[in-house]
Every structure is written in C-alpha cells, then in structure tokens.
Amino acid sequence: MWRISMRAPQLVFGVAIFTLLSLQVIAKDGKWTDIHEAGRCAIRGQCGKKSFFGSELPCPDNGKAEDPDKETREKLVAICGNSWEEGAVEDLRTNLKRAERIISSCPACKENFFNLFCTFTCSPDQSQFVNVTASQEASSGKLIVTELDNLWSDNYGKGFYDSCKDVTFGATGGKAMDFIGGGAKNYTSFMKFLGDEKFLGSPFQINFPRPAAKAFKNMIPEDPTAKACNDTDEAYRCACVDCPGLCPELSPVAQQQDCHVGALPCLSFAVIIVYCVSLLLLVAAISGHIAYQKHSQRKSERLQLLQDAAISDDEDEEDIVHHAGILERPQKQYKVNTICDTAFRNLGGMCARYPFITIFTSVIIVIGLSIGWVSFEVETDPVRLWVSPTSAAAKEKDFFDNNFGPFYRAEQAFIVNDTHSSGAVLSYDTLSWWFDIETQVQHRLSPQKGLKLDDVCFNPTGEGCVVQSLTGYFGGDFSNVNQNTWKKDLEYCTQSPGSQECLPDFQQPLSPNITLGGIEDGDVLSAKAMIVTWVVNNFPQGSDGEQRAMDWEEGFKNVMLNAQREARERGLRLSFTAESSVEQELNKSTNTDAKIVVVSYIIMFLYASLALGSTTLSVRSIVHNPANVLVASKFTLGVIGILIVLMSVSASVGLFSACGIKVTLIIAEVIPFLVLAVGVDNIFLIVHEFERVNISNPDDEVEVRIAKALGRMGPSILLSALTETVAFALGAAVGMPAVKNFAVYAAGAVLINALLQVTMFVSVLALNQKRVEDSRADCFPFIKIKRADVSSAHGAGAYGYDDEGPLQRFIRKVYAPNLLNRKVKVGVIVLFVSLFAAGLALIPEVALGLDQRIAFPRGSYLIPYFNDLDAYFNTGPPVYFVVKDVPVTERQHQRELCARYSTCHSYSLTNVLEQESKRREISYISGSTASWLDDFFTWLNPNNKACCVENGKTCFKGRDPPWNTTLYGMPKGEEFIHYLTKWLHSPTNEDCPFGGAAPYSNALVIDPTTHPPSVPASHFRTSHTPLRSQSDFISAYASARRIASTISEDQNISVFPYSKPYIFFDQYSTIIRLTGTLLGAALAIILVLTSLLLGSIITAAVVTLTVAMIVIDVIGTMALAHVSLNAISLVNLIICVGISVEFCAHIARAFQFPSHTTMEKASRVVKSKAQLRGGRGGNSNNNRDLRAWTALVNVGGSVFSGITVTKFLGVVVLAFTRSKIFEIYYFRIWVALVVFAAAHALVFLPVALSLVGGEGYVDPEGDGSLEEDLARRRYRALLPEDDESDEDY
C-alpha cells in the first residue's frame, strides 16, 4: 500500500547532468562540434538560461580538454572514477546521491548509471561521441546548447537497461525503472526518457541515437562494458530480488489441472462412452428379444393347428383377472411396520378423542419453546457465516487482527465516462467538479457524532489522510491545477509519481493504476475512469471505534448519492461503496424477500383451503346442493395447517436461539419455505387418507376413522420426516456456521412440524369432521346449515358424491395402466438413465464461487460499483505473508527472511516471493515484496547519512565490525531491538526514503516482556495480480497457501498467507469434498432408514438410487443454469436430498404395503392378460406391477396435488423476487428439484419398483373385516355404471 517519497528522478538526473556539464575545463573558443577527435570537448561551462525560470545551460565548445587541479581530481575520482573534469563537485555529489538511493541496492545498475553520466561529462574524448545539434542565444548574450546527440553503443544501452530493469526500490514494492526510466520496457525507451527535455527533467534535449540509424561522421559510439546484475565480479553483483538471473530456480508447480480428453472432462467422456455402449447393448437386446418372440409365435401357431384350441372363454378369462387382486395380495406381515401402524393408530385415536387437551398442550409447548426468542440474534458478519471458527483461515485472521490490527476500511468511488463518444473521463471541468466533491467528503460531518474525515482516516505520517486520488498529484488543491498545463502536469506525475511535486499529503507515491482506469495505449489522458479510495481506520467488531467509522460512512454515502445525480447531469456515471455497504445491502435484500415469503404463505394457504375442500366436494354435489360448500369447505383446516408450519418455525427458532445458535440470513430466507413445503404435503396426505377411510368405513366413529387414517399414513410421514430430519442434521457436522446453523434449525423445524401434524392437526381434523357431520358452517361452527346434505359430507355415498376426483380417476384408469406397459417401461428407463447420464456428464462444468453482485437486490447501487471494479481497477489485493514465532534477532533466522544481502538463503522468504512474482500466471503474485528486514538493514547503512542518526552521529559509522552486505556487522539480540524500535519511529522523507514509520509501523510486533525482547510476529507484503473472477480468487488463495507451505517447510519456520478476501474463499478449498461427503452420508442414511421402515433393502436401494438420480440431475441443471457451487447451493443440495425422499417415500411405502381395497379395483380396470395379469406367486413381475399400480392409484394423486403442486406454487413466487441470489440459487434449483423429483417419483420410481422392487407385506389397516368388506361392497354397488363396463382399461 505504501510508497516511499523522493524527489523526481528526472529532476535528479537533470541537475546531475547540469552539474556535470559545469565541470568542463575552459578551452578555446569555437562553434558547434566541428571536430570529432580524442582530447577534444563538445560542450563546457555555464553560459545562461533559456528563460528567467530556466536552468543554466552549457556553451557549445569544441576546444581541447585540460587537466584539473589535484583537489578537484580527487573529488571527481570519488564520484566518477578515473574520468575527470573540474567544476561544481559538491553539487554533483549531492544530486547523484539522490539518484543513488533509488538504485544503490544493485551495484551493477548504479555503476552503469554513474558511468554513463560521468563519461558523458568527464571524458576527455567527449567530442568523439557528443555532437551539438542546436543552440540559441541566452539572455546573457552567449550561445547556449539546446540539443545534442549522445552516441552510445547498442551493447552498452542494452546492458545498462538490463542491469536496472528488475531493480526494486524499498517499501514501494515497485520497480526502480518506474522512477528512473518512466517505466520503460526496452533500452531505447529508457535512454530516451533520460534525455528528453522536460519540466523538472533534463534542462535541454539529449538524444541517444542508435549508431546504426544514420552515419555519424568521425564519431565513435562510446562502448564501455556494462556491468551485469549477475556479474562475475562480486563487487557489482546484485541480489536475487534485483536480478532474476541470480535467483535459484523454483521447483515446478504441479498444477491441478482437470483431466480432459480433448475438450471434454474425463468424467463427461467416460459417462458418454458408457452410456452409448449401454444404449447399443439395450437396442441389441430388444432387437434380439423381438426376433425371438416372432420366432416363438410362428412355432406356437404351427403347434396350435395340431392341438385343440386353448380355453378362450371370455367369462373364464374375466374370472381369472377378476380375482387377480386377491390372488396377488401379499400375505406376509412386517413387524416394524405393524408396530408403527399400531403406535400411530393409538396416537391418532387419543388425539381425536381428546382434541382440546392435545391442541392446548401443543400450543403450550410451542409457546414454551418460543420463549427462546428473547435470545434471538441474527449473524450478519460474512466472516462468521462462511468460515468455521476452528478453520485455519479463521484462526489466521484472528491472529492478524490481534497483532497488526483489523484491515483498513476502504471507501471507493469510480467516475466513469461511458456516455460520451470520446470515452475519456478527464477534463478541466470534471477535475474542478471532483475537487469540490472531495472537499465535501473531507469536511462533511457525520449524522450522529459530527465526525470529519480527519477524525477517522488512516494517517500514518501525521501529514494527511490516505486518499488515493489523482487530486493528490496537485496537492489536493484545485488552485494548483493550471488550465493550460494540467494535462502535461498529469502526464508527468503519472510517469514519475515519486516526484516531490507530485506527492500527496500523506507523502506516498500514487501509482496511476490505482487512480485511473481504462487507459488506452499508455495515454493517461485517454482514461475512461477516475478511481478514488479513502482509507479509514478499522476497529474490532462492536467497538466504539467501529461505530464512529460507520457513522462517518453514512455521511460519506450521502455525499456520494448527491454526487451521483450531479455526475449524470455532466454526462458521467459515478459508482461507489463504503465498508458497511455490503452488509446493509444484503439486509435490504432480505427485507425485500420477506414480502416474497409472505406472498408464498398466502398462496399456499389459498391452495390448501381449496384443494383440501375439493376432496369432499364435486361439481355435481355443489350444483345439487350449494349449501354443501359452507359445510364441506376446509378453509379452517388450511388456516390451521399454515399456522402449524409457523408454530414449528417459531419453536425451532426459539429452541436453538436459547441454545445460543444464531440465525443466519439463509435460515430466515429458506426455512419458512422449506417447512411450508414439507408441512402442507403431509396435511394433504392425512386429509386424503382420512377421506378414503370415510368412504370405506362411514359408520365408524370419527375417532376410529382418524386412528385408521393416521395408522396408515403415519409410517409414511415418519419415513419422510425422519429421513429429512437426519439428512438436514448431517449439515451440523460441517464447521461452516452458515451451513451448520441452517442444518440445526431446519432439522428442528421439520421434526417439530411433523410432530404437530400427527398430534395437533389430527385433533383439529377430528373436530372439523364432527363439525361437518353436525352440518355446521366452516369458520363459523356455531351456525348450523340445515339444508346441507350431511351424508355426502361424511362420505355416505349420497347422490353426486364420488370418492375419486378427476385426477385420481385419470391415474387409475389411464395413467397407471399405460405407464406399466412393458414398452413404456423400456422408454421410461432409457429416458431417465439418459437424464442421469447427462447430469453426471455436466458435473465438471459446475463452477465454484459466489459473485457477490448477485447477493444484492436488483437496482442496488453496489452492482455498478462491482462492475466498474472488474472493468477498470488494475491492481490486485495486497497479500501478507505472516511469520510467527521466529527469533529474527538471531543471524540464522535473519538469513531465512532477507533477500538483499549476500548471505541471505537462496530460498529465503523474500527470495521465494520474488521468484514467484516472475511466474504470476501460476502464483498470482505481482510486484516486489516489501521486506521490512531488508529496508531496516538498508536504513542502518552509514552511507545513508540522514537515516540512522544517534547522538548527532551517523549510526554504524566507524563501527567494528562495520556494516556490510554479508550481515556480519548487522545488529543482533537487544541491539537489534534497540535500532528496530528507533527505525519504526523514523519518518520517510526526501533525505531518507527508508524510514519505517509510514510503511512498516504496523508490520511487526515487538514484545519487550521477553528476555531478550523479541519479534513474535511480522509480515512481508506483496500483492496479487488483478483478480477478475471467482476462479481467480480461488486459485490465488490456493497458490498463496502453496507458497507459504513451501517456505515453511524449506526454512523450518511458521508462515501463513493473509489477504482480506481469503476468508470468503477458504470454503472452496474443501467444498467439493464436503459436498460429496454430505450427500453420500445422506444417501447412506436414507438407505438404512428406508430399509428399516419398509422392510426391504431392495426397495430401499431403488428409493436411494432414485434420490441420487434426482440430486445428480439437479447438479447438472446447476451447470446449465449457471448456478455455482458454494455454501448456499450446498445447503440447497442437502434440501434436495430431503425433499426428494418425501416425493419418493409415500410411493415406496404404498408399494411395500399395498391397500387391498385399492388392489381389488384392479379387477374392474384390467381386462387383458397384457395388463397386470398374474398368477399366485407373490414375488412375480406381475405382483410387482400390481403393487406399483396400487401405489400410484392410492397415493399418486396426493403426491401430485399435495406435494408437487404445493411446492411448485411456493417456488414460482420466487421468480418475482428482487434478490438475484434468490432467483438464481433458490428459484432455479428448486424449480429443477420439483420437476425432477415429481418426474422420478411419479414416473421412474413406479417403473423401477415394478421391475426390481422388494417383496410386499400385508397392510395392517386392511384386515379384511366383515363390516369393512360390506362397506366396500356398498361402495362398489354405488359406483357409476361406466366404471363397471369400461372396455378400455
């Protein structure tokens, strides 16, 4: 983040050139450089200025050079070596020393730099490579040089550039070439930058023409041997950080590349191959079977001619089929099911017999659990949501915050010109307006505490707040912006941000990458965006300091919102963010989505009321007697059903809030939907089964009918509720609080909801039935409807009443028989296996991550900000490599960390980071490392006389052992801590750019309590490359982990990486494995529970396979719908497992325990041997066909109307949410879930069970008693005539 202040390099070099030129020996008068020979000058002395404010320029002089006196020679030799001339030696030394501070870390670069300018000025053979090309008369009347050619060989120019191009400078983390060469990318640009005449640069134009460019008569290019950064002479050899050629080669990184076969992932390729082969085998098998059947048929026809005709009497055939339902009925009982049936029968009877006690008790328990709401807390801190408190990332963040302080709060704005055709955002008027906006930000008082920016900003030097804006190039004052020259001034400052004239108040250079965006071809004036960042101090969560900062941010946002309107008037667009913006916008999204939840509940309530009422009301009964509507309506039941859902949610929240488990936004948004979907389903199943019992046993008491209904549906509800609860509870094993807390709340809510449904709702159902039979109005039970047909209301079989609605009749007569046709089965299996294969093949295409833009409501002001951040911000986030418990006061450990000294380990921390930055496409590390240890030792260098001064004397001057690059003379132990403390309070300024106060004040911790005092923690700062996508962030985090681990192992020290975004991407290092583990464990539990409750491991395996297919299809849909895998989608996948079980459980149980009443209907709808015809064998295919048909007829309608439709209505409302995250992560996934789960439960599962389902058991509720048989016979006698004589089914 920090940049070291210094005077502009161009000014340094310009003064150096001028000073050197002033050293020329006075020679004979002459004109321009006519003679080019050894021992002759080209320029000399000081003859005047171009203007009043200009610099003194030399005279053109082609005279001979002369020897200086002894004293001048000694001074020149000290500066330039053996080349000499006489003049202002002290000015030369002073100005070259300023340049030396930038490049002194690399002796080769320094030597080449000094050699070029000293040779240019001091060589006695100057005229051989210098030619004056232009001059003018000065105000003094003398002729002065305004342009010249300085001829150097290509070899030297290239060698000079190569020796300096990788040199880094201090804590800036930037390249010295940015300061001395304007960021040149080759030696010609480098030399051109050094010689260009410019304000505060070279005082006249010095051209560095290439020797081959044109003929230079009698001139010889100067061609000394440039020192290389990896020179064989150790005196000129540079450190690894400044010379990649000296760095050790890092081990190649085994990148985790996904396996591919061509363009296809290996998994996808394998699935496609297996699928195609299987399909071909199936086609071959079917073709062979058809051929064999035709052959057998022809053989049978020939034999039939020789034999008597087989029995073909229709009545005999009908008799066989008529008794199929009885012949195929399972005869065995399953003890576990019998126990469950008995338990639920007793529970239902008790609740129906004592309804008011049951309801009162349920309400009291729910109220008691809901008392826990007093401890209700919502967790909104993203860090505490997405990262396990026991994870390495969380512990590392705590360590960083505790030792170095919380990371700064950043407020940022983008001013973009995307409306004008020119595209450039910079203009004089725009600058004037923006200076005014920044002034408003600086002086705006916060709404509550009246705070200004100065009260909360980060101000490390005490000179000014850290505001990274191009206004800093002009001192933050618009009066410094000259309307005629501002463009040149801006170009100059962006090229030389370290120039003293370009430094902002906080005295750190401003890189153009952090102030301007959308620059084209290096022309800063073409920038499409201005970028401004205000850095504010951060404090621990909940502290007064944090509240002060958040209060100031409210005032900041008000200024920005007003500025947005002003920007639009100017044809510009302004986007911004404050540190608190994300959390506030997320909460706004949740508040918006609360309306969607309410709408969904209303729709569910209306649908439940209408659909439940339709079970006892037909159009004919309403037309026959409209008064029946008032009695048979189930509006009250719908209200109670929805109320029970709310009660279960309230009880779960209260219970776990009392346990100290915080509610998350996911819980608040998802669980109401989840429990609503599950709860309404069970209500439909109970009510539908109760109505069937009303038909088959109309003369029983209400309590008995309730007991029978719950006895039959209770085990199904137990199966679905138990598997859902356990599946959700699995998430509690995950350390991620967002998933863990959701799992706990969801499991509790589903379980409590199921308990209330089999107790409280059953009691309400009993009361409702008594009301119906007493002809009292729904909602107003004190009003008796005398005209109502009571017998039809309770299923006595009156005129117009039918226990089957249109949906059930369609399933019984059309859908089920056709679905179980042999050819249709083959098509169904092929279709669903194809879907499963497609889902598997698409799994590798599911991306990781969560684009935070979709978490905000539509229209949020943060969405344009994040778009601009991606488009225009070309700087990656800073990354800190934190060193723990390393005794850096000892020489051995200093060598493990440093880089700029000859005895530093080749694979030291800083050296490794420098090398990693050279392969940024793998490491995602960009730029040099700010090493506090190297800069501290450089600060101690006695050659930097203005840096370490103690008692008026330069530290380490004359010390024994002396300061040297071998570290031998560096301090250790208590002396190390003494100077380190002094350095951390040393300011950074022009005279000493290595002070530690500004760049390193919070980079290390000194513990004075140990003996000797120690440095228990410190960090080394570098930065990432610009990270544009979620995959970039994930890869950068993984790379930083790899680098830290490598350093820790090689140097035997403790190192970890830290960057502010890391905490949000830690989940992705384990989320794939976690997803597989959770889903696999959930499926295993489903297999165990369904095996136990259904009594068949084969049927349980079919159910588990069906659930797995649903989940795989949903994952495949995620790839197509651009839904990435993250904590939210992981929660949804867990939900998919639970909901899928609910779709399948009722069909599977109805298959295992078929209703003999329903099976008997098969005798009237099945007329041919091809349809459900079977023998006596209970395990035959026909037995499974019959039970599959019975399951569909018995519960298929309830699964469709009570599960599929209710969930679809609840989910479809999400399409209208303002929250993009709801639309993507809930609407898309849940729509896919409903579609796939319904299709698999109602199409694939019956077919699969009919093929490989387990052996069935006797339904305990179907005991075949005399009175039940009579009731069934009465029902059969009352069936419409067309049912008896249907020839088609």
Side-chain angles (χ1 to χ4, degrees), residues 363-376 646-655 657-658:
V363 172
I364 291 299
I365 291 174
V366 169
I367 292 175
L369 292 175
S370 300
I371 292 176
W373 276 80
V374 298
S375 303
F376 177 83
L646 295 175
M647 290 171 64
S648 64
V649 173
S650 175
S652 179
V653 171
L655 172 62
S657 292

Side-chain angles (χ1 to χ4, degrees), residues 875-1107:
T875 301
V879 54
Y880 303 85
F881 285 83
V882 180
V883 179
K884 298 193 302 181
D885 302 322
V886 175
V888 294
T889 59
E890 299 176 11
R891 182 79 67 241
Q892 172 189 350
H893 297 292
Q894 292 171 359
R895 290 168 175 158
E896 294 169 347
L897 302 178
C898 70
R900 293 192 177 278
Y901 300 91
S902 59
T903 59
C904 295
H905 289 182
S906 297
Y907 292 95
S908 68
L909 183 148
T910 310
N911 275 336
V912 169
L913 292 180
E914 287 295 328
Q915 281 299 85
E916 291 288 356
S917 70
K918 304 298 189 299
R919 53 180 187 184
R920 60 182 59 191
E921 70 283 352
I922 297 174
S923 67
Y924 292 87
I925 298 295
S926 174
S928 299
T929 302
S931 169
W932 65 266
L933 187 61
D934 287 308
D935 284 353
F936 167 54
F937 286 155
T938 302
W939 178 78
L940 292 174
N941 189 343
N943 289 334
N944 299 320
K945 296 180 180 180
C947 289
C948 182
V949 178
E950 199 168 31
N951 299 322
K953 297 181 179 179
T954 301
C955 304
F956 281 71
K957 185 175 183 180
R959 184 179 186 271
D960 186 25
W963 185 98
N964 61 78
T965 59
T966 65
L967 296 183
Y968 178 67
M970 298 300 183
K972 299 187 298 182
E974 293 187 5
E975 185 185 29
F976 180 92
I977 298 297
H978 166 74
Y979 284 111
L980 183 66
T981 304
K982 185 178 180 66
W983 173 67
L984 288 175
H985 292 87
S986 172
T988 300
N989 52 41
E990 178 185 354
D991 295 326
C992 181
F994 302 105
Y1000 298 115
S1001 58
N1002 62 352
L1004 62 160
V1005 177
I1006 297 177
D1007 185 1
T1009 62
T1010 61
H1011 184 75
S1014 61
V1015 181
S1018 65
H1019 65 63
F1020 294 76
R1021 184 186 68 252
T1022 182
S1023 62
H1024 279 303
T1025 57
L1027 306 177
R1028 305 294 188 192
S1029 64
Q1030 295 290 291
S1031 61
D1032 285 348
F1033 278 100
I1034 294 169
S1035 298
Y1037 175 63
S1039 176
R1041 282 281 181 203
R1042 172 188 59 79
I1043 294 170
S1045 177
T1046 300
I1047 295 172
S1048 298
E1049 292 174 4
D1050 289 348
Q1051 302 299 325
N1052 196 27
I1053 57 178
S1054 178
V1055 180
F1056 69 84
Y1058 175 79
S1059 185
K1060 191 174 182 180
Y1062 284 175
I1063 201 75
F1064 305 112
F1065 293 93
D1066 178 72
Q1067 58 177 292
Y1068 301 109
S1069 60
T1070 58
I1071 196 166
I1072 295 177
R1073 182 173 66 252
L1074 178 63
T1075 301
T1077 302
L1078 286 180
L1079 295 181
L1083 292 174
I1085 289 174
I1086 290 171
L1087 179 62
V1088 172
L1089 291 178
T1090 51
S1091 298
L1092 178 64
L1093 294 177
L1094 295 181
S1096 171
I1097 192 170
I1098 297 177
T1099 300
V1102 173
V1103 171
T1104 305
L1105 174 63
T1106 305
V1107 172

